[in-house]
């Protein structure tokens, strides 16, 4: 691949990384460090190290990019905490990123996907992440918390300072917009 193809290939994963970073970056850190800054740093590091990537599939590329993102999120956590390094917290973050990625895939997959459906799901997870980023902030946050973080409706309502009915409406409108975006 040439340089331009590398950039194009990696750039298609920026919305995917953004969705994962939003799900994992603590709200108390967002005032100090922007999600887009962390994603941009991750993309730069991925581009610089693309020759070291040994995978062959999109699934392997997404896993590699998640590792880069996890390292950057860990650095933010460490820099803002100024604590000693906490290996358990770092492993927990990597696990949570993997779980968020699986949740994105579950939104797309059927009950028992075939191998060909798995390939289609792998391609569409990036499209779903990009569509998620186009939602209005309240809808995006409600969908992210409920579906990617697995929070209950009442928990999301409390975090967003809204009623459960209002959050249900945000989820309904958000999912409807995501379905429409995925049909295009």
């Amino acid at each position: 691949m040439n340089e331009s193809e590398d950039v194009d290939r990696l750039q298609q994963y920026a919305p995917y990384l953004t969705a994962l970073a939003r799900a994992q970056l603590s709200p108390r850190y967002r005032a100090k460090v922007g999600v887009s800054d962390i994603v941009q740093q991750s993309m730069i590091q991925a581009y610089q190290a693309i020759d070291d990537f040994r995978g062959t599939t999109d699934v392997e590329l997404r896993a590699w990019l998640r590792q880069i993102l996890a390292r950057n999120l860990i650095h933010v956590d460490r820099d803002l905490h100024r604590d000693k390094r906490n290996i358990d917290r770092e492993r927990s973050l990597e696990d949570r990123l993997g779980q968020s990625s699986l949740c994105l895939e579950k939104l797309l997959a059927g009950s028992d996907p075939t191998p060909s459906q798995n390939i289609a799901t792998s391609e569409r997870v990036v499209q779903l992440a990009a569509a998620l980023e186009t939602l209005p902030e309240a809808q995006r946050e409600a969908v992210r918390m409920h579906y990617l973080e697995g929070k209950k409706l009442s928990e999301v309502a409390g975090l967003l300072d809204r009623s459960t009915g209002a959050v249900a409406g945000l989820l309904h409108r958000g999912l409807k917009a995501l379905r429409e975006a995925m049909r295009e």
Side-chain angles (χ1 to χ4, degrees), residues 138-139 142-143 153 162-176:
Q139 288 177 13
V143 169
L153 195 62
R162 297 178 184 235
S163 69
T164 54
V167 170
L170 289 171
L171 290 171
H172 175 75
R173 290 188 302 278
L175 289 178
K176 182 178 177 185

Side-chain angles (χ1 to χ4, degrees), residues 130-140 143 173-175 177-178:
L132 185 61
E133 288 303 306
T134 65
L135 293 178
E137 184 177 359
Q139 288 177 13
R140 182 180 62 235
V143 169
R173 290 188 302 278
L175 289 178
L178 288 174

Side-chain angles (χ1 to χ4, degrees), residues 20 53 87 101:
L20 295 178
F53 175 64
I87 297 295
S101 180

Side-chain angles (χ1 to χ4, degrees), residues 58-93:
D58 286 336
V59 171
E60 292 168 325
L61 180 59
R62 284 198 323 268
W64 183 67
L65 290 170
R66 278 194 314 271
Q67 288 176 339
I68 294 170
L69 177 65
R71 277 195 307 269
N72 285 318
L73 288 168
I74 288 165
H75 289 292
V76 166
D77 185 58
R78 189 179 314 142
D79 290 346
L80 294 177
H81 267 118
R82 298 284 182 217
D83 291 15
K84 290 182 180 177
R85 185 173 180 183
N86 183 333
I87 297 295
D88 292 333
R89 189 170 61 221
E90 292 175 17
R91 284 192 186 126
S92 173
L93 176 61

Side-chain angles (χ1 to χ4, degrees), residues 5-24:
E5 290 172 334
D6 287 342
V7 170
D8 290 344
R9 182 177 184 203
L10 290 174
Q11 193 57 42
Q12 72 177 339
Y13 291 96
Y16 170 72
L17 293 179
T18 300
L20 295 178
R22 280 189 204 285
Q24 298 306 319

